[in-house]
Amino acid sequence: MDQVSLTLRFAPELRFFLPPRNRVDRVRVQHDATSTLGHVIESLGVPRTEIGRLRADGTEVTAAHRPADGQTIEIDAPARPQHTPFDRTRFLLDVHLGTLARRLRLLGVDTAYDNDRDDDALVVQANDEQRVLLTRDRGLLRRRGLLAGAHVHHTDPELQLHEVLRRFDPPLAPFTRCLACNGMVEPATKQQVQGDLEAGTRATYDTFTRCRSCGRVYWPGAHHDRLAQIVDRAREHI
């Protein structure tokens, strides 16, 4: 089978995905002449969701391009902020990103999360609901048919949050979503929610909201300042 020799130049932020021996300025590879450029790049470890603009000998091409022998390919990371193929930016997070899910909901970002979904179910849900799938699992991002996804590089939830906000720049509406179920919250009177409150809470607080979906009640308790600080730091880093 015919082979082509290529020189690949990955943007520095993409070299994380490559084997250590390939984390250099120029990667020289031989590949099947019938393979698309997207396949060549993925075979080196970079998921298609992480590929931005592509150029072959300086000419912009797509992932479907079949490179010719001797070409130099430049691979950029996705542009920031990154556009999605959907009308609005919504997310689905895998089982390992529960804290990030709650922080995105705190900011009012539409974020689906369930701690018992397997990989196949995640891909189906992401596509059906037109959500960007966020994960640290590179293999999940390489699933065929996934419409939109992104790798989360950091392990610290606050850094993860800032990473996602900088990459996608979703509109923020803090304290408008339920941290537990992602439903929208609305103002509620003390009388409307008093059956869900402990006596101390009823005696101390007068301002409440309640989730339209699951009925969970929120009030500006001792935890509110910590949550407000998360919101403020997130806005500073966008």
Side-chain angles (χ1 to χ4, degrees):
M1 186 174 294
D2 291 340
Q3 298 279 307
V4 295
S5 296
L6 305 173
T7 299
L8 305 181
R9 301 191 67 184
F10 289 90
E13 55 266 50
L14 295 181
R15 295 173 191 171
F16 161 85
F17 296 103
L18 302 171
R21 68 180 182 279
N22 288 337
R23 294 174 188 171
V24 293
D25 183 59
R26 295 173 182 268
V27 181
R28 292 179 172 82
V29 298
Q30 286 194 323
H31 220 280
D32 174 8
T34 64
S35 295
T36 65
L37 181 53
H39 178 75
V40 173
I41 295 170
E42 271 203 314
S43 72
L44 292 173
V46 181
R48 294 196 189 198
T49 61
E50 308 310 298
I51 300 172
R53 190 171 63 158
L54 298 169
R55 293 178 300 282
D57 291 339
T59 300
E60 192 159 345
V61 296
T62 69
H65 173 70
R66 284 185 166 78
D69 187 50
Q71 282 193 318
T72 295
I73 308 296
E74 296 173 83
I75 304 103
D76 292 342
R80 303 292 195 272
Q82 181 179 346
H83 297 294
T84 75
F86 311 130
D87 291 337
R88 51 182 171 157
T89 301
R90 308 194 299 169
F91 298 109
L92 170 64
L93 277 61
D94 76 6
V95 63
H96 303 292
L97 298 176
T99 301
L100 175 59
R102 289 189 291 275
R103 293 193 176 199
L104 285 167
R105 290 171 178 175
L106 172 65
L107 295 172
V109 179
D110 190 340
T111 305
Y113 170 80
D114 196 313
N115 62 9
D116 65 356
R117 295 293 177 93
D118 62 22
D119 288 357
D120 290 337
L122 285 170
V123 172
V124 170
Q125 182 181 356
N127 290 348
D128 286 351
E129 297 180 7
Q130 296 191 331
R131 295 180 181 273
V132 178
L133 178 58
L134 301 182
T135 180
R136 287 181 47 77
D137 183 348
R138 303 180 215 179
L140 180 53
L141 293 175
R142 296 175 67 178
R143 289 293 185 105
R144 294 297 175 188
L146 177 64
L147 297 178
H151 183 267
V152 178
H153 290 254
H154 293 287
T155 57
D156 178 84
E158 182 156 350
L159 295 178
Q160 290 175 342
L161 180 63
H162 299 162
E163 177 185 348
V164 172
L165 295 181
R166 284 193 296 266
R167 179 164 175 173
F168 292 99
D169 191 26
L172 307 185
F175 301 104
T176 61
R177 287 192 177 273
C178 178
L179 303 187
C181 79
N182 194 46
M184 302 300 294
V185 300
E186 60 186 0
T189 66
K190 182 183 289 190
Q191 184 176 6
Q192 289 173 324
V193 301
Q194 62 181 350
D196 298 311
L197 305 177
E198 298 290 340
T201 303
R202 286 197 301 271
T204 307
Y205 298 100
D206 296 305
T207 302
F208 301 93
T209 57
R210 181 164 58 188
C211 177
R212 297 175 188 170
S213 299
C214 73
R216 182 168 178 169
V217 178
Y218 294 89
W219 60 92
H223 59 290
H224 183 79
D225 286 347
R226 180 180 61 83
L227 298 180
Q229 289 172 6
I230 293 173
V231 172
D232 290 343
R233 288 196 299 269
R235 283 173 161 160
E236 290 172 0
H237 284 81
I238 294 176

